[in-house]
């Protein structure tokens, strides 16, 4: 029997124009990385390391034709999608389909993204959601149900929304799956290559019949419902869903892959797919560096042009987030330092988190205090996007959010291990409970524990169902405790009596032993006197000198004094009998007035002065100097006149 | 200072070198610091120092001068010593030299050694030039400070704690206190004020922290300078029997006096300041005017005025 697409007849009493869940997932490859890697991580089996492979595939020509034939493009899928696109005016999803169809039809190539995990549970369980929900396997949860998580303790998701990311990044809202499960999980004796396709379109009318939005690709049962195709190797190959090895896990193929933020890219240019691959790598490193560092999941990204691999790289966070990767390894090895002295040292601090009492009937527990671990290390010279941030994570080892805090003069990397992330191999019961509390505190995007306020406030509806309020103060205190610990580490620099505070001593530079850069504006030097000529005549000293002063708004009033100098360095002031200055210099009570000038750096006046003849010793026996006896501001009237000129 | 004489003189100072330094007959060449023009005489005990002083110049002999001679003059302010040692022309007639021997008991603090050049003028021996002066340092506190050394010690202490000085414990909420009686004077900063230490030590503070830090730093600097000025003024001796006033003996207090004298309108040197202070003893109006001038000058010197202006401008629209 050949696989086929089928959409159920539309109900008379209910219609759905698209799956709202996918709009809870942000666009951008960072979002794709977070949600898809979290899905695979949650499905990861205990034991040897698991692998996750992202394959960007570009199909052209015959390769594209073979794929389209296998997926029944022309005969089944495209007609239904075209019918759905007719509702574009009234439904967002239909609009997406309309533009997606146009883009794919207009392009020579078809882009696919295959996300395949190995060493994971795979799509287990029965085909249809019938009977007791507790026996539903991953197959039903992924393909048949919405908003059902049913995940274990300490898993990444809790809303059942993460899977929506696959359809969000398909232009055609169409995703094909192939899964291999463990032999012990066999379904009616089958366990290899379980293939199904799911289209999450909108209600539509085709050939006079009305259909539901959700369509499935697989084998039609006698009642018309579509079930999985098992172990059809040819089909798997044609659909680009071939798995690399026998390990259990799931391959998801996003048909007509695009980044909703950049829908114009990835249509024909293989270089753009390579660019997508690199962006995805960077996002995986940033969001999952703890998981990758602990090597519980190995992630590879590749770009395939037809059947040729043109780019391939294993994601390694140590290249970009070296300090964080090394610090986590040191923490896990128990190599904690006492202080942060040099790059590579790590310190750990306890961060208390109050866990609210759980009220679930089957898993109740009283309130208790959980001790999370804050690990801090100094940054090297290579800048990255996670410096001066504290990465918060729990058991899934995905960064939920960061607490950003800068300290002057210190660059650091830090992370907070909470819940089962502290000892992931053997968490205590309380650590698992703390992990669950934090899991339920996360909004659907799993990007927050600490509630914001105002416009950034998110609902903790999930906590409401499981825990006794209040919990908001408990969660907000995480941030405060982290900041307090960081302040203890970086807030007060090391105190050294050998290094007096610059902020004080830079202002005492006039004392000897200047320690700082000094005040930004040096003091204005006092006026100086330059003697041009000094002689003795008629029993008196006749001195010609110049008064020079820095031009300043206040101007100067300079009083020169004649001083007789003694051999011991002492001096005796002597009165002038006459002081005369240039014609444009004013004299006021013995002071030379130097008004401010609008321009120029220096104010000058040339003075001729004669001493009195009543001298302490004969002038022919004395050494003299002319000193500035007083340097004051110029009288205000003079200054104003001069400046206003 | 550019003294003028009624007879011809050399316009420039003569160069002067010290060599053959001996403390009690032992070679002490390493104690000579040409960079600082200083002789380190405090590092070892000695009773007699001997040194050779030589003075020379490239300046031509001024017209009207002949028959030059010279003497080495040793002066010490603390012991009021002035000792002259005849210098002789060396063999090639290019410099004057003298060997000077001084007893330690004749000196205190520091002494200066320089050459004085003389010539006959009108039948009288006149000083017609002088050399740069060397300083013989006998007290470590007189030694040149190494670059970057703080002028006073800083200690962080919780003013409410038992080990804090009594004055600090009396005012546990104050942020700083200057203990002038310590040698060197000590600036105590209150580590008990939450956030004060991290703010003052934040060399890379930004925005509001930057402004608060600068303002507090300038305020504390002014308080330090004020305390030093008060202590210096207390030590000024007006002098007796016509002797000039003398200033404080400790170096940091002399330094603050010299710096302040540069800023006050009526003083140029520390000696001017000592004289000003000596003259206002008993004159309340003059004293008040002096202290008002000091307050304003210290505002300027410690950048407090400038910092207030800057901060006010920056926060005008905050």
């Amino acid at each position: 029997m050949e696989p086929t697409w089928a959409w159920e007849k539309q109900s008379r009493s209910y219609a759905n124009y698209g799956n709202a869940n996918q709009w809870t997932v942000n666009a951008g490859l960072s979002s794709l990385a977070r949600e898809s890697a979290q899905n695979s991580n949650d499905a990861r089996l205990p034991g040897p390391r698991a692998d996750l492979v992202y394959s960007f595939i570009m199909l052209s020509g015959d390769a594209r034709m073979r794929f389209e034939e296998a997926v029944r493009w022309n005969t089944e899928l495209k007609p239904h999608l075209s019918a759905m696109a007719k509702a574009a005016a009234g439904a967002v999803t239909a609009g997406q389909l309309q533009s997606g169809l146009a883009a794919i039809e207009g392009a020579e190539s078809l882009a696919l993204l295959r996300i395949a995990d190995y060493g994971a549970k795979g799509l287990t369980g029965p085909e249809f959601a019938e009977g007791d929900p507790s026996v539903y396997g991953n197959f039903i949860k992924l393909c048949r149900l919405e908003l059902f998580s049913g995940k274990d303790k300490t898993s990444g998701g809790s809303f059942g929304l993460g899977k929506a990311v696959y359809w969000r990044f398909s232009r055609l809202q169409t995703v094909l799956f192939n899964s291999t499960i463990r032999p012990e999980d066999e379904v009616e004796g089958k366990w290899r290559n379980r293939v199904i396709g799911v289209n999450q379109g909108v209600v539509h009318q085709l050939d006079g019949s009305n259909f539901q939005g959700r369509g499935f690709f697989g084998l039609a049962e006698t009642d018309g419902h579509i079930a999985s195709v098992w172990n059809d190797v040819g089909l798997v190959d044609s659909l680009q869903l071939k798995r690399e090895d026998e390990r259990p896990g799931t391959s998801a193929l996003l048909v007509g892959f695009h980044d909703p933020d950049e829908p114009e890219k990835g249509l024909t240019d293989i270089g753009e797919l390579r660019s997508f691959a690199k962006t995805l790598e960077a996002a995986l490193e940033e969001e999952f560096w703890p998981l990758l560092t602990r090597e519980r999941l190995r992630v590879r990204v590749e770009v395939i042009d037809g059947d040729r691999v043109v780019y391939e790289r294993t994601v390694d966070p140590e290249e970009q987030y070296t300090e964080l990767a090394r610090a986590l390894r040191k923490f896990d090895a128990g190599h904690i330092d006492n202080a942060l002295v040099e790059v590579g040292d790590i310190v750990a601090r306890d961060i208390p988190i109050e866990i609210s009492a759980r009220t679930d009937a089957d898993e109740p527990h009283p309130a208790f205090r959980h001790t999370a671990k804050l690990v801090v290390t100094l940054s090297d010279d290579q800048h990255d996007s996670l410096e001066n941030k504290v990465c918060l994570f729990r058991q899934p080892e995905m960064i939920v959010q960061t607490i950003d805090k800068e300290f002057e003069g210190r660059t650091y990397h830090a992370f907070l291990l909470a819940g089962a992330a502290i000892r992931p191999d053997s968490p205590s019961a309380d650590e698992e409970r703390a992990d669950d509390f934090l899991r339920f505190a996360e909004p659907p995007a799993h990007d927050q524990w600490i509630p914001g306020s105002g416009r950034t406030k998110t609902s903790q509806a999930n906590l409401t169902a499981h825990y006794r309020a209040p919990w908001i103060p408990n969660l907000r205190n995480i941030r405060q405790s982290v900041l307090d610990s960081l302040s203890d580490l970086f807030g007060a620099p090391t105190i050294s009596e050998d290094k007096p505070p610059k902020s004080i001593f830079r202002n005492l530079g006039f004392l000897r032993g200047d320690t700082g850069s000094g005040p930004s504006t040096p003091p204005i030097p006092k006026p100086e006197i330059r003697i041009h000529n000094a002689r003795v005549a008629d029993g008196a000293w006749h001195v010609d000198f110049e008064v020079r002063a820095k031009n300043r708004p206040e101007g100067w009033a300079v009083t020169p004094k004649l001083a007789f100098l003694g051999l011991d360095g002492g001096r005796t002031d002597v009165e002038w009998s006459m002081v005369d200055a240039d014609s444009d210099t004013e004299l006021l009570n013995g002071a030379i007035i130097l008004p401010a000038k609008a321009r120029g750096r220096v104010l000058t006046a040339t003075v001729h002065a004669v001493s009195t003849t009543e001298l302490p010793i004969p002038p022919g026996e004395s050494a003299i100097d002319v000193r500035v006896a007083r340097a004051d501001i110029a009288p205000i009237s003079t200054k104003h006149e001069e400046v206003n000129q | 200072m550019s003294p003028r004489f009624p007879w011809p003189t050399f316009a420039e100072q003569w160069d002067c070198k010290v060599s053959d330094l001996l403390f009690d007959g032992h070679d002490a060449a390493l104690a000579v610091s040409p960079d600082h023009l200083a002789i380190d005489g405090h590092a070892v005990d000695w009773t007699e120092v001997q040194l050779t002083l030589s003075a020379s110049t490239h300046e031509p002999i001024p017209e009207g001068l002949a028959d030059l001679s010279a003497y080495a003059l040793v002066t010490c302010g603390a012991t009021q010593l002035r000792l002259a040692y005849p210098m002789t022309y060396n063999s090639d007639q290019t410099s004057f030299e003298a060997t000077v021997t001084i007893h330690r008991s004749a000196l205190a603090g520091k002494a200066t050694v320089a050459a004085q050049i003389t010539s006959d003028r009108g039948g009288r021996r006149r000083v017609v030039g002088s050399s740069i002066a060397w300083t013989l340092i006998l007290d470590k506190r007189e030694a040149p400070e190494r670059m970057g050394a703080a002028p006073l010690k800083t200690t962080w202490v919780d003013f409410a704690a038992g080990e804090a000085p009594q004055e600090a414990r009396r005012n546990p909420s104050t942020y700083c206190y200057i203990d002038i009686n310590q040698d060197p004077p000590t600036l105590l900063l209150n580590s008990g004020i939450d956030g004060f230490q991290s703010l003052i030590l934040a060399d890379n503070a930004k925005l509001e922290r930057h402004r608060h830090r600068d303002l507090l730093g300038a305020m504390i600097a002014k308080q330090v300078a004020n305390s030093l000025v008060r202590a210096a003024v207390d030590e000024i001796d007006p002098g007796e029997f016509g002797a000039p006033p003398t200033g404080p003996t400790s170096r940091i207090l002399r330094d603050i006096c010299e710096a302040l004298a540069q800023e006050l309108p009526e003083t140029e040197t520390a000696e001017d300041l000592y004289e000003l202070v000596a003259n206002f003893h008993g004159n309340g109006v003059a004293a008040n005017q002096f202290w008002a001038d000091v307050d304003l000058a210290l505002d300027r010197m410690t950048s407090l005025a400038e910092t207030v202006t800057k901060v006010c401008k920056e926060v005008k629209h905050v």
Side-chain angles (χ1 to χ4, degrees):
Chain A
M1 190 186 302
E2 290 293 313
T4 184
W5 282 98
W7 285 259
E8 290 184 34
K9 296 291 184 189
Q10 184 189 329
S11 163
R12 292 178 64 200
S13 55
Y14 176 75
N16 194 339
Y17 279 84
N19 182 355
N21 296 349
Q22 64 174 279
W23 306 113
T24 64
V25 177
N26 293 327
L29 292 176
S30 176
S31 175
L32 173 69
R34 285 177 68 86
E35 298 295 344
S36 59
Q38 182 176 275
N39 289 341
S40 294
N41 191 35
D42 284 349
R44 184 165 44 87
L45 290 168
R49 185 171 61 191
D51 286 278
L52 175 61
V53 183
Y54 291 85
S55 306
F56 292 87
I57 304 167
M58 185 73 87
L59 297 180
S60 308
D62 290 345
R64 175 177 179 174
M65 199 181 305
R66 281 196 297 276
F67 174 81
E68 288 181 351
E69 281 175 11
V71 80
R72 306 288 191 272
W73 172 250
N74 288 315
T75 55
E76 298 178 20
L77 183 56
K78 182 179 165 187
H80 279 270
L81 294 178
S82 299
M84 293 174 191
K86 289 176 183 168
V92 178
T93 302
Q96 293 261 314
L97 284 168
Q98 185 185 49
S99 57
L101 270 171
I104 286 174
E105 288 289 280
E108 290 181 2
S109 304
L110 175 66
L112 309 170
L113 173 61
R114 185 174 61 216
I115 304 170
D117 54 38
Y118 298 86
K121 287 176 188 166
L123 299 181
T124 56
E127 281 291 333
F128 299 103
E130 299 166 315
D132 182 5
S134 65
V135 301
Y136 292 172
N138 285 344
F139 178 82
I140 287 178
K141 291 173 190 171
L142 176 67
C143 302
R144 310 287 192 191
L145 302 179
E146 299 300 337
L147 285 173
F148 183 81
S149 173
K151 285 185 177 177
D152 296 336
K153 279 181 183 174
T154 69
S155 62
S158 58
F159 284 84
L161 287 167
K163 56 181 173 279
V165 72
Y166 302 130
W167 288 271
R168 179 90 165 97
F169 284 78
S170 162
R171 292 180 194 270
L172 305 176
Q173 310 287 323
T174 302
V175 181
L176 307 175
F177 297 98
N178 175 26
S179 184
T180 292
I181 56 178
R182 291 177 295 185
E184 59 265 38
D185 292 329
E186 49 88 17
V187 178
E188 297 173 359
K190 294 170 284 195
W191 52 278
R192 280 197 184 94
N193 291 319
R194 183 179 202 175
V195 172
I196 192 160
V198 182
N199 164 249
Q200 293 190 355
V202 300
V203 291
H204 56 286
Q205 190 179 57
L206 183 64
D207 298 333
S209 299
N210 287 20
F211 296 94
Q212 297 279 30
R214 182 71 53 100
F216 295 93
F217 175 74
L219 294 179
E221 303 227 316
T222 50
D223 60 0
H225 288 118
I226 297 294
S228 306
V229 181
W230 286 90
N231 212 17
D232 184 339
V233 176
L235 178 68
V236 164
D237 280 350
S238 303
L239 292 177
Q240 302 288 332
L241 282 170
K242 184 178 179 183
R243 292 184 56 77
E244 293 180 356
D245 58 45
E246 288 285 303
R247 283 181 294 169
T250 304
S251 302
L253 189 81
L254 285 55
V255 182
F257 166 78
H258 75 146
D259 178 355
D261 272 353
E262 298 179 296
E264 75 284 5
K265 290 186 178 173
L267 288 165
T268 54
D269 185 355
I270 193 72
E272 288 176 348
L273 285 192
R274 193 183 279 114
S275 173
F276 280 149
K278 289 179 178 174
T279 305
L280 185 71
E281 279 168 35
L284 287 163
E285 287 171 353
E286 186 173 22
E287 305 285 351
F288 288 93
W289 65 262
L291 177 72
L292 299 170
T293 298
R294 282 175 161 171
E295 297 182 341
R296 261 187 280 284
L297 186 68
R298 182 171 58 187
V299 180
R300 194 174 84 238
V301 179
E302 62 186 13
V303 179
I304 302 170
D305 190 3
D307 55 0
R308 188 168 56 93
V309 176
V310 295
Y311 177 83
E312 184 175 26
R313 187 173 170 273
T314 300
V315 180
D316 180 5
E318 187 154 0
E319 288 181 18
Q320 182 70 12
Y321 304 107
T322 313
E323 301 97 323
L324 288 168
R326 292 180 182 174
L328 180 56
R329 283 199 203 102
K330 276 188 82 170
F331 174 80
D332 286 344
H335 299 153
I336 314 290
D337 299 295
N338 292 324
L340 295 174
V341 178
E342 57 187 354
V343 174
D345 292 347
I346 70 163
V347 295
R349 297 286 184 267
D350 289 348
I351 301 296
I353 301 177
E354 302 296 337
I355 306 298
S356 300
R358 188 162 183 173
T359 54
D360 291 7
D362 51 346
E363 293 185 84
H365 63 70
F368 67 96
R369 172 175 288 189
H370 167 64
T371 302
K373 296 290 181 184
L374 173 69
V375 178
V376 187
T377 187
L378 296 176
S379 305
D380 59 23
D381 294 335
Q382 192 72 36
H383 293 295
D384 63 60
S385 61
L386 291 178
E387 65 188 18
N388 297 327
K389 298 172 191 279
V390 181
C391 301
L392 312 187
F393 62 91
R394 55 183 183 88
Q395 168 78 332
E397 294 160 335
M398 176 183 79
I399 307 307
V400 175
Q401 73 176 116
T402 61
I403 295 174
D404 301 5
K405 177 68 181 171
E406 290 189 9
F407 290 91
E408 291 142 2
R410 309 296 289 266
T411 308
Y412 67 94
H413 282 76
F415 50 90
L416 181 74
L417 302 106
I422 301 170
R423 282 175 288 269
D425 294 329
S426 55
S428 68
D430 274 356
E431 285 169 347
E432 289 191 334
R433 288 169 176 165
D435 207 285
D436 259 6
F437 174 74
L438 294 171
R439 171 166 73 111
F440 285 116
E442 292 167 12
H446 301 290
D447 58 359
Q448 204 175 59
W449 290 342
I450 302 163
S453 56
R455 296 175 66 183
T456 61
K457 188 171 183 179
T458 54
S459 168
Q460 257 83 30
N462 227 355
L463 282 172
T464 309
H466 302 281
Y467 294 90
R468 184 175 298 130
W471 48 75
I472 286 179
N474 303 3
L475 296 167
R476 287 199 171 138
N477 284 342
I478 297 173
R479 176 181 169 80
Q480 195 53 52
S481 298
V482 167
L483 293 180
D484 287 346
S485 288
L486 289 176
S487 293
D488 285 345
L489 281 169
F490 299 128
T494 309
I495 300 156
S496 167
E497 287 189 358
D498 292 336
K499 194 181 171 209
K502 280 186 190 171
S503 59
I504 297 171
F505 283 91
R506 68 187 294 271
N507 301 309
L508 292 169
F510 51 84
L511 296 173
R512 283 180 200 168
D514 186 6
T515 59
S517 55
S520 52
T521 307
I524 293 176
K526 280 200 168 177
E528 63 177 28
I529 287 175
R530 294 180 182 178
I531 298 175
H532 294 318
N533 184 39
R535 61 191 169 84
V536 176
D538 303 327
W541 275 96
H542 293 244
V543 190
D544 298 322
F545 58 91
E546 181 185 6
V547 181
R548 293 172 64 86
K550 182 179 173 65
N551 189 11
R552 63 174 185 177
E554 300 84 5
W556 294 92
V558 181
T559 305
K561 283 271 187 190
L562 180 66
F564 274 36
L565 306 177
L567 286 175
D568 61 354
R571 65 158 196 263
T572 302
D573 286 343
V574 171
E575 295 297 318
W576 299 110
S577 65
M578 188 276 289
V579 177
D580 192 16
D582 336 350
S583 57
D584 57 348
T585 300
E586 185 185 356
L587 292 170
L588 188 65
N589 300 325
I592 314 294
I593 308 303
L594 300 169
K597 287 181 183 173
R599 305 177 71 179
R601 295 185 177 196
V602 180
L603 306 173
T604 61
T606 303
V607 180
H608 173 69
V610 180
S611 74
T612 175
T613 53
E614 294 175 9
L615 301 171
I617 58 173
E621 300 292 323
S622 62
I624 59 104
D625 198 1
V626 179
R627 70 182 185 91
V628 176
R630 184 175 179 83
D632 211 338
I633 58 171
I636 193 162
S637 58
T638 309
K639 180 189 75 173
H640 279 187
E641 284 169 14
E642 186 67 26
V643 170
N644 291 338
Q645 280 174 359
Chain B
M1 293 287 280
S2 51
R4 295 303 173 107
F5 297 83
W7 52 81
T9 56
F10 284 91
E12 304 293 332
Q13 282 191 308
W14 283 43
D15 191 16
C16 186
K17 290 177 181 169
V18 168
S19 59
D20 303 330
L21 180 70
L22 303 172
F23 285 131
D24 295 334
H26 300 292
D27 178 54
L30 292 177
V32 178
S33 171
D35 289 344
H36 294 105
L37 293 173
I39 302 162
D40 179 2
H42 61 81
V44 294
D45 288 332
W46 51 272
T47 54
E48 187 181 83
V49 62
Q50 182 179 304
L51 58 89
T52 298
L53 197 73
S54 63
S56 60
T57 185
H58 295 294
E59 187 180 338
I61 297 174
E63 191 177 339
L65 297 184
D67 187 25
L68 295 182
S69 62
Y71 60 91
L73 181 65
V74 179
T75 60
C76 178
T79 58
Q80 296 193 329
L81 174 78
R82 285 177 63 82
L83 271 178
Y85 298 80
M87 301 180 84
T88 55
Y89 254 133
N90 66 358
S91 54
D92 56 4
Q93 302 280 298
T94 56
S95 64
F96 286 104
E97 284 186 0
T99 298
V100 174
T101 303
I102 317 167
H103 280 273
R104 174 69 177 80
S105 58
L107 308 171
K110 66 177 181 181
T112 58
V113 186
Q116 301 289 316
I117 316 302
T118 63
S119 174
D120 266 340
R121 181 70 182 173
R124 301 276 302 270
R125 204 75 192 160
R126 302 290 189 184
V127 174
V128 295
S130 61
S131 75
I132 54 175
W134 282 69
T135 304
L136 172 59
I137 298 160
L138 298 109
D139 184 333
K140 188 180 177 182
R141 288 171 298 184
E142 302 290 347
E145 290 285 358
R146 64 181 166 84
M147 287 300 289
L152 66 166
K153 189 181 167 190
T154 308
T155 302
W156 286 94
V157 62
D158 183 349
F159 282 16
E163 68 267 24
Q166 189 175 2
E167 293 80 0
R169 278 188 285 125
R170 222 179 271 136
N171 303 280
S173 61
T174 199
Y175 52 92
C176 77
Y177 159 65
I178 297 94
D179 190 348
I180 285 292
N181 295 321
Q182 296 289 323
D183 184 18
T186 301
L187 167 62
L188 293 100
L189 295 163
N190 192 351
S191 61
I193 298 175
D194 189 21
F196 179 52
Q197 192 174 47
S198 67
L199 182 63
I200 285 296
L201 295 177
D203 289 345
N204 301 304
K206 302 284 189 302
L207 302 174
E208 212 52 35
R209 274 170 60 77
H210 180 103
R211 295 181 193 114
H212 284 301
R213 183 205 63 186
D214 283 359
L215 207 49
L216 274 173
M219 285 167 60
I220 294 168
K222 182 177 177 184
Q223 196 159 329
V224 168
N226 232 327
S227 298
L228 295 175
V229 171
R230 280 202 311 271
V233 167
D234 275 350
E235 288 192 21
I236 292 173
D237 181 349
E240 291 181 326
F241 311 114
T246 54
T249 52
S250 83
R251 178 173 177 155
I252 191 169
L253 297 187
R254 288 205 311 272
D255 288 345
I256 190 82
C257 288
E258 281 178 15
L260 183 62
Q262 290 287 321
E263 291 284 336
L264 293 178
E266 292 183 72
T267 56
E268 262 191 305
T269 65
E271 286 70 28
D272 294 344
L273 182 72
Y274 305 153
E275 193 175 323
L276 185 69
V277 172
N279 288 341
F280 76 55
H281 274 305
N283 183 345
V285 175
N288 290 340
Q289 182 60 51
F290 170 78
W291 286 113
D293 284 343
V294 168
D295 278 341
L296 295 167
L298 293 185
D299 263 6
R300 213 164 44 239
M301 293 163 69
T302 57
S303 304
L304 181 57
E306 178 196 341
T307 305
V308 168
T309 304
K310 183 169 75 87
V311 168
C312 290
K313 185 180 177 186
E314 287 177 359
V315 302
K316 186 177 170 187
H317 300 297
V318 170

